[in-house]
Amino acid sequence: PTLSLAEWRETRDALHDYARVLGYFRRELMPPQKHWWHITLSVSGRGLTTAPIPAGPGAIEITLSPVHHCVDIVSSDGGARSVKLTGQSASDLGAAIGHELSSFGVAIAAPAATFETVAHEYDAAAATQFWSALVAVDLVFKEFKGTLREESGPVHVFPHHFDLSLNWFSGRRVPGTDPADADSADEQMNFGFVTGDSSINDAYFYATAYPTPEGLTEAGLPDGAYWHAEAFTGALMPYAHIAASSDGRSRLLEFMSMAQRAGSSLMR
């Protein structure tokens, strides 16, 4: 589907805020993981999910569903609760989830300033259309992950920027960094999908390298992609080019593969 941000910005902002709410509860309950992977959400068949997270002697799972337009909360002992999505503020959704969690014996009270208090216009059709795109992109990212020989992270959504992303690691350490600091010590590339942000108005795919090797922005990219060097340095492919293609899957795989080969080669 097309994802012109001007046509669904209010709904996108609502989903972004709601994803942050789920990320907050996951962070509060999950043991810390490197690269902040304990705050991320995963794409499931039903929606964006926290996956099972610790809750007393068992587990709970919280899922944001842009198809059924609700947040579902289920527990490993068979309990289930649901909160409808109506465009309510993130603050109101957080309070409702917190209330439902208390019925499972999970007491988490978010500070008043944790979530946005602004309500949104929520277009159910736009939310479902976004979900259709995200599921397709997630599957291609997982296919790309399977081609990588070295260590790679999970394909998941970071709530703070609302981007689906995947990390690839060269296996080398960045000189001059603390080896114990996983966020800054690991040489890596990041591949992602964003619905649009303050630097680029519409949806796009990106590939960045850390640290950025000399000559990276001179490497070749497939048709439609280009090197971006304004808010960050990385390879960009507009989502619209992929959506308009007769074989978007192959074009997206080509973009990520060419960027990864360029980064990997220059890092060495």
Side-chain angles (χ1 to χ4, degrees):
T2 59
L3 287 180
S4 175
L5 189 55
E7 298 175 0
W8 74 295
R9 185 183 295 273
E10 273 286 312
T11 302
R12 191 286 305 271
D13 290 349
L15 292 172
H16 188 177
D17 283 352
Y18 300 160
R20 286 173 171 157
V21 173
L22 267 65
Y24 169 82
F25 287 109
R26 189 169 196 263
R27 183 184 65 193
E28 290 296 298
L29 294 170
M30 278 291 290
Q33 298 179 25
K34 64 180 181 180
H35 306 295
W36 291 90
W37 290 344
H38 57 289
I39 71 168
T40 60
L41 307 174
S42 304
V43 174
S44 72
R46 186 176 177 85
L48 285 173
T49 175
T50 61
I53 49 181
I60 60 168
E61 182 172 2
I62 311 173
T63 302
L64 168 65
S65 174
V67 174
H68 299 284
H69 314 294
C70 62
V71 170
D72 291 324
I73 308 165
V74 298
S75 66
S76 55
D77 63 5
R81 298 285 189 276
S82 187
V83 178
K84 282 185 62 66
L85 299 179
T86 61
Q88 68 266 56
S89 70
S91 179
D92 287 344
L93 180 65
I97 293 174
H99 173 75
E100 299 298 348
L101 287 176
S102 66
S103 67
F104 296 109
V106 179
I108 300 179
T114 301
F115 305 127
E116 293 287 340
T117 58
V118 178
H120 300 280
E121 293 181 14
Y122 182 82
D123 182 338
T128 300
Q129 182 167 278
F130 159 70
W131 178 243
S132 174
L134 188 65
V135 169
V137 170
D138 177 74
L139 292 174
V140 178
F141 270 52
K142 286 172 178 169
E143 183 176 356
F144 172 64
K145 173 182 166 67
T147 69
L148 302 173
R149 173 65 181 82
E150 298 81 8
E151 180 191 2
S152 58
V155 178
H156 50 191
V157 171
F158 274 93
H160 64 284
H161 193 219
F162 205 43
D163 56 337
L164 184 83
S165 71
L166 165 69
N167 291 96
W168 167 84
F169 302 92
S170 71
R172 293 183 293 273
R173 297 287 181 260
V174 177
T177 59
D178 178 2
D181 184 355
D183 291 333
S184 62
D186 294 334
E187 188 178 80
Q188 61 191 273
M189 293 189 72
N190 187 29
F191 303 86
F193 166 62
V194 183
T195 55
D197 52 33
S198 58
S199 60
I200 301 170
N201 287 330
D202 279 318
Y204 64 92
F205 299 95
Y206 67 83
T208 60
Y210 169 77
T212 305
E214 185 176 351
L216 180 64
T217 57
E218 299 169 13
L221 292 172
D223 289 346
Y226 63 95
W227 289 103
H228 176 83
E230 291 183 12
F232 62 91
T233 298
L236 259 67
M237 171 69 83
Y239 169 84
H241 288 352
I242 300 298
S245 172
S246 60
D247 190 0
R249 169 189 159 276
S250 294
R251 289 203 65 192
L252 180 53
L253 284 171
E254 179 187 27
F255 165 70
M256 291 192 289
S257 296
M258 287 185 68
Q260 192 273 335
R261 287 195 299 268
S264 176
S265 175
L266 291 168
M267 283 175 169
R268 293 193 183 96

